[in-house]
Amino acid sequence: MAKIGKAILLIGDGLGDRPVAELGGKTPLEAAETPNLDRIALEGENGLLDPIAPGIPPGSDTGHLALLGYHPYEVYTGRGPFEALGIGMEVRPGDVCFRCNFSTVTDEPARLPEPACSLAGQGPGLVVTDRRAGRISEGTKELAQALNGVVIEGVTCLVKESVEHRAALILRGEGLGHNVTDVDPHEDGKPVLESRGLDERSRKTAQVLNEFVRRSFKVLSAHPVNAKRRELGEPEANILLPRGAGLAPHLKPFSDLHGFAAAFVVEVGLVKGIGRYIGAEVVDAPGATGGHDTDELALARAAAKALERQAFVLCNLKAPDLGGHDRNPSLKIRDIEKLDRLAGELLRLVPEDALIVVTGDHSTPVSVGDHTGDPLPIVFHGPAVRRDGVKAFGERAAGSGGMGRLSGSDLMNLIANFMGAKGKFGA
Amino acid sequence: MAKIGKAILLIGDGLGDRPVAELGGKTPLEAAETPNLDRIALEGENGLLDPIAPGIPPGSDTGHLALLGYHPYEVYTGRGPFEALGIGMEVRPGDVCFRCNFSTVTDEPARLPEPACSLAGQGPGLVVTDRRAGRISEGTKELAQALNGVVIEGVTCLVKESVEHRAALILRGEGLGHNVTDVDPHEDGKPVLESRGLDERSRKTAQVLNEFVRRSFKVLSAHPVNAKRRELGEPEANILLPRGAGLAPHLKPFSDLHGFAAAFVVEVGLVKGIGRYIGAEVVDAPGATGGHDTDELALARAAAKALERQAFVLCNLKAPDLGGHDRNPSLKIRDIEKLDRLAGELLRLVPEDALIVVTGDHSTPVSVGDHTGDPLPIVFHGPAVRRDGVKAFGERAAGSGGMGRLSGSDLMNLIANFMGAKGKFGA
């Protein structure tokens, strides 16, 4: 096979949108000033992309997995593993992972409802009085460290704090299943539940989980951080309540799956975690904040630099998703104009014969404020593409492009094909 | 999740068509006067729909199943269950159902071919002399009642007449398979066949079926309806010949599958039966005849009323399919203009923020006179859609729409996405 080309996939997080009345029925992308993206569209081949399937609203995790060639319906069993990856934990295939809250519970009989159908085997039941422990903002690192590394029935329990009251828990051991019911009752005033395993492999997981939760109550209740909170009259973070169990999947490394290596120049911890998990080089761009104030030119420079080392670079700008979640059209327009400057800098910096693909991981319409299943515009720019006469980069312009409507599961094959990295299937 | 919106799916039965020479190469839909449908297309987002897959001609049953999110290749094993549903029988998951003919057979040796490889175990074989029993039009209700409720080897046999010589048979019992060969030889002058079970569970079905057919010959031969037919010199309806075995599938209720409830405002028994089977509210609209003379405005009013009660309404106008089967372009045009008036009334009656989707369940080109696998135009109309500049509702205009080419299996996800009823998959 000839030498493999270079490709960069630029993702505007949450890029897609719906018509906005105050923009005269245009979408934020259509209303934004995007001379660089429009040039890419004019010189490129355009289409619409369903990251997972038409009408299915992707998460940031499932969306990226799908675009990278990993079928989310096969590999995604729950948020836990991706939450853990997102805060920088080292996750291994077979780990059972949970999202957690530091919460406040009480075992005072007066506060207990009757009958207390609570976590068994610990005498009086436990009732949640504040699932977020007063949105605790300090001391969670110390609390997590006090639980991290506990071993129960040969299973290692790894804990790491995230922002505010949030944390992640990994259970690492042989043959653990992830089909366990939650201990978190998801509501204040309700008893902490006893987890049950829904299959043979998951029964052990549930046993360990229940014991871990009981232990967290003992350890955290006695922790100096909570002594101080009691003094200050703040709700104690006296238990860790896991939920959203998921099995860390066995994912083929990116380079084995596609035949070339990847670098990730991305802002969000979750996407960085996915990158590390599939063996990509994960690059930290200085000045990339993941916010509206991020330095998009720094991202472009880091991506162009990474493309010198690797055949493929994924670059994700988080800002447009924030504008969408904020339901703020003018903010999202400004975020998209950042994406445009990022694209312009890439055009300037990367070799002329490199493939540049621009799209999003999901739509986050400002009219909705959350992810939806609307398709994304996508454009392929490089010497091999069939220019199609589309003149601007936008949801509707892309709909008349030469690529038609594409599925995320085909994206890496389309990219690899243009890179000359796709071996013939057959003779 | 935010409040779920409302959606109405308007299906012109057999709507799609091919170019017709006498219409100057236009399709009936393109030639018809459809100001309301054109307005919906102009204000909406358009595309082409393959109900099952490109080139696959759907039946009314498989087409509707596919559009409603049930994969026909997984749930459809034969026409029997849907024939039974269509004539108003109560079908239960696990039932083995057959289409049947009341037929005329003889056991006179002179009429028997040599060798008579006929239904075994009943002495002389039986030969079909008229598969439709002279297209019997009266007395089938009494004949069906004489067989209905027979129990053979613990299996209950339920029989109900349909139009003319047609009927349906349900075998209800534990662990019955549906892989049985037909007893109906499908040709006059041929012996009635012995059914064989093609797998373990189906061998019992075949035994019961053979015994049921033998019994039908005894019971019907002795029935007063046939005594009268003998007097009048008409062919006796002296046997019931089942064919087209199918297993009634375990279908998830519509509201469990999609997260919101449905009402069906439809004219055809078969589609009503599907609605009942998946737990939809099935509404009878007064004045809806299912023919060319149906009251389309009554259908619209009933659909708009139903939309006050349910989040989702399926409304089917049968007429265009009839025009197609009749191979009559001007008739089909008139039928489509009925659909247009129905759509106009819906625009007037349903809330402005409701999603209106218009398409068909299959094409019935007047040049063919039967269902084909040509795609259907589809339009989505509501505040969330991306208007695409398509100016009329028609097969070719829709092909340049922003939705691209869609599969029926994605339709309910697309609708749910616009309704705000689709939860994020992932984080």
Side-chain angles (χ1 to χ4, degrees):
Chain A
M1 192 182 297
K3 194 171 157 289
I4 287 176
K6 301 268 186 178
I8 193 154
L9 172 59
L10 175 57
I11 291 181
D13 208 293
L15 179 65
D17 215 297
R18 294 176 176 177
V20 178
E22 61 194 277
L23 302 177
K26 290 185 175 179
T27 67
L29 175 56
E30 290 166 347
E33 286 289 324
T34 55
N36 296 299
L37 292 172
D38 292 346
R39 179 186 145 198
I40 292 174
L42 180 73
E43 296 174 355
E45 188 173 358
N46 300 265
L48 285 173
L49 177 74
D50 296 294
I52 297 176
I56 303 295
S60 287
D61 41 16
T62 54
H64 279 85
L65 285 170
L67 299 187
L68 292 163
Y70 302 91
H71 292 258
Y73 288 114
E74 291 169 17
V75 303
Y76 193 85
T77 55
R79 275 184 70 159
F82 298 92
E83 191 77 12
L85 285 169
I87 58 173
M89 295 180 84
E90 187 235 340
V91 178
R92 299 185 191 161
D95 285 352
V96 176
C97 312
F98 301 81
R99 308 166 68 199
C100 304
N101 275 7
F102 285 105
S103 304
T104 314
V105 294
T106 179
D107 59 358
E108 290 171 34
R111 310 273 308 258
L112 294 179
E114 292 293 341
C117 51
S118 66
L119 192 60
Q122 53 182 19
L126 297 174
V127 169
V128 178
T129 54
D130 185 344
R131 272 189 78 234
R132 298 183 181 84
R135 288 199 178 266
I136 180 171
S137 57
E138 279 178 26
T140 53
K141 186 173 180 182
E142 290 74 17
L143 295 174
Q145 278 172 349
L147 297 170
N148 188 41
V150 164
V151 177
I152 298 170
E153 299 183 34
V155 173
T156 304
C157 308
L158 302 163
V159 180
K160 190 175 176 191
E161 74 290 352
S162 176
V163 293
E164 290 188 325
H165 53 280
R166 298 180 190 88
L169 165 68
I170 297 176
L171 300 186
R172 180 170 295 160
E174 287 299 306
L176 296 177
H178 71 285
N179 289 315
V180 293
T181 60
D182 277 348
V183 292
D184 181 350
H186 293 263
E187 212 178 317
D188 288 348
K190 292 282 172 69
V192 175
L193 303 169
E194 167 140 15
S195 177
R196 284 173 296 110
L198 302 178
D199 56 40
E200 190 51 44
R201 295 165 67 93
S202 301
R203 272 188 269 280
K204 170 144 190 213
T205 310
Q207 266 179 33
V208 171
L209 185 67
N210 289 326
E211 178 54 28
F212 173 81
V213 172
R214 277 190 284 269
R215 250 199 247 182
S216 80
F217 178 58
K218 277 185 208 153
V219 170
L220 298 184
S221 296
H223 197 281
V225 164
N226 279 320
K228 193 171 162 198
R229 289 180 75 80
R230 271 193 300 273
E231 272 173 38
L232 296 170
E234 289 169 344
E236 290 176 54
N238 59 6
I239 200 165
L240 195 68
L241 292 183
R243 66 183 188 279
L247 186 70
H250 287 77
L251 298 186
K252 226 181 202 185
F254 181 93
S255 55
D256 291 358
L257 188 60
H258 298 299
F260 48 86
F264 276 38
V265 181
V266 300
E267 301 190 287
V268 183
L270 179 55
V271 184
K272 285 185 186 176
I274 291 175
R276 279 190 297 266
Y277 199 66
I278 61 176
E281 179 196 352
V282 176
V283 177
D284 280 312
T289 65
H292 296 295
D293 62 345
T294 196
D295 182 348
E296 67 275 12
L297 299 184
L299 274 166
R301 285 192 298 270
K305 196 81 191 159
L307 198 64
E308 293 174 11
R309 297 188 301 273
Q310 312 289 4
F312 173 80
V313 172
L314 171 78
C315 180
N316 176 307
L317 181 79
K318 177 65 176 171
D321 185 48
L322 303 175
H325 280 287
D326 288 348
R327 299 173 178 254
N328 187 329
S330 56
L331 198 56
K332 187 163 180 184
I333 287 174
R334 283 209 299 278
D335 296 329
I336 289 169
E337 291 173 351
K338 265 185 185 288
L339 182 73
D340 184 71
R341 285 190 294 274
L342 202 172
E345 191 71 359
L346 284 179
L347 277 175
R348 217 173 59 76
L349 294 176
V350 306
E352 244 184 33
D353 61 353
L355 176 74
I356 299 179
V357 181
V358 188
T359 187
D361 58 341
H362 54 78
S363 292
T364 308
V366 293
S367 58
V368 177
D370 206 345
H371 303 193
T372 67
D374 304 77
L376 285 303
I378 184 167
V379 58
F380 296 75
H381 181 274
V385 307
R386 304 169 179 160
R387 290 190 190 193
D388 57 13
V390 168
K391 289 183 179 56
F393 188 61
E395 288 87 348
R396 275 169 280 210
S400 64
M403 276 282 170
R405 190 160 180 163
L406 303 174
S407 167
S409 61
D410 294 322
L411 178 61
M412 283 309 307
N413 290 337
L414 289 161
I415 290 174
N417 178 52
F418 282 130
M419 292 168 70
K422 210 70 202 163
K424 183 158 57 181
F425 172 46
Chain B
M1 195 182 294
K3 197 170 155 287
I4 287 176
K6 300 266 187 181
I8 192 154
L9 173 60
L10 174 58
I11 290 180
D13 208 294
L15 179 66
D17 215 298
R18 295 176 176 174
V20 179
E22 62 195 279
L23 301 176
K26 289 185 176 180
T27 67
L29 176 57
E30 289 167 346
E33 286 288 323
T34 55
N36 296 299
L37 293 171
D38 293 345
R39 180 186 145 198
I40 292 174
L42 180 73
E43 296 173 354
E45 187 173 359
N46 299 265
L48 284 174
L49 177 75
D50 297 295
I52 296 176
I56 303 296
S60 287
D61 40 18
T62 53
H64 279 85
L65 284 171
L67 298 186
L68 292 162
Y70 302 91
H71 292 258
Y73 290 114
E74 291 169 18
V75 304
Y76 193 84
T77 55
R79 275 185 68 159
F82 297 92
E83 191 77 13
L85 284 169
I87 58 174
M89 295 180 83
E90 189 235 340
V91 177
R92 297 184 193 164
D95 286 351
V96 176
C97 311
F98 301 81
R99 309 166 69 197
C100 304
N101 275 6
F102 286 105
S103 304
T104 314
V105 294
T106 179
D107 58 358
E108 291 171 35
R111 310 274 306 260
L112 294 180
E114 292 294 342
C117 53
S118 65
L119 193 59
Q122 54 182 17
L126 297 173
V127 168
V128 178
T129 55
D130 185 345
R131 273 188 77 237
R132 297 183 181 84
R135 287 199 178 267
I136 180 172
S137 58
E138 280 179 27
T140 54
K141 185 175 181 178
E142 291 74 15
L143 295 174
Q145 278 171 349
L147 296 171
N148 188 40
V150 164
V151 178
I152 298 170
E153 299 182 32
V155 173
T156 305
C157 307
L158 302 163
V159 180
K160 190 175 176 189
E161 74 291 351
S162 174
V163 292
E164 291 187 325
H165 53 278
R166 299 180 190 89
L169 165 67
I170 296 176
L171 300 186
R172 180 171 295 162
E174 288 297 307
L176 296 177
H178 71 284
N179 288 315
V180 294
T181 61
D182 277 349
V183 293
D184 180 351
H186 291 264
E187 210 177 319
D188 288 349
K190 293 281 172 72
V192 175
L193 303 169
E194 167 141 14
S195 176
R196 284 173 296 110
L198 302 179
D199 57 39
E200 189 52 44
R201 294 165 69 92
S202 301
R203 274 187 268 281
K204 171 146 190 207
T205 311
Q207 265 179 34
V208 172
L209 185 68
N210 289 326
E211 177 55 27
F212 173 81
V213 172
R214 278 189 284 272
R215 248 197 250 183
S216 80
F217 178 58
K218 277 184 206 152
V219 171
L220 298 184
S221 297
H223 197 280
V225 165
N226 279 319
K228 195 171 158 197
R229 288 180 74 81
R230 273 193 298 273
E231 271 173 39
L232 296 169
E234 289 168 342
E236 290 176 54
N238 59 6
I239 199 165
L240 196 68
L241 292 183
R243 66 184 189 280
L247 186 71
H250 287 77
L251 298 186
K252 225 180 202 186
F254 181 94
S255 54
D256 290 359
L257 188 60
H258 299 298
F260 47 86
F264 277 38
V265 181
V266 299
E267 301 190 289
V268 183
L270 178 56
V271 184
K272 286 184 185 177
I274 291 175
R276 279 190 297 267
Y277 199 66
I278 61 176
E281 179 196 354
V282 176
V283 178
D284 281 311
T289 65
H292 296 295
D293 62 344
T294 196
D295 182 348
E296 68 274 12
L297 298 184
L299 274 167
R301 285 190 298 270
K305 195 84 192 155
L307 196 65
E308 293 173 11
R309 297 188 299 274
Q310 312 289 5
F312 174 78
V313 171
L314 171 79
C315 179
N316 176 306
L317 180 80
K318 176 66 176 169
D321 186 47
L322 303 175
H325 281 287
D326 288 348
R327 299 171 177 256
N328 186 330
S330 56
L331 198 56
K332 189 163 180 185
I333 286 174
R334 283 209 299 278
D335 295 329
I336 288 169
E337 290 172 351
K338 267 186 184 286
L339 183 72
D340 184 70
R341 285 190 293 276
L342 201 171
E345 191 71 0
L346 284 179
L347 276 175
R348 217 173 58 75
L349 294 177
V350 306
E352 242 183 35
D353 60 353
L355 177 74
I356 299 179
V357 181
V358 189
T359 187
D361 57 341
H362 54 77
S363 291
T364 309
V366 292
S367 57
V368 177
D370 207 345
H371 302 193
T372 66
D374 306 78
L376 285 303
I378 183 166
V379 59
F380 296 75
H381 182 274
V385 308
R386 302 169 178 164
R387 290 190 191 190
D388 56 14
V390 168
K391 291 182 176 57
F393 188 60
E395 289 86 347
R396 275 168 282 208
S400 65
M403 276 282 171
R405 190 158 179 165
L406 303 174
S407 166
S409 61
D410 293 320
L411 178 60
M412 284 308 306
N413 288 338
L414 288 161
I415 290 173
N417 178 51
F418 282 129
M419 292 168 71
K422 207 72 204 163
K424 185 160 54 181
F425 171 43

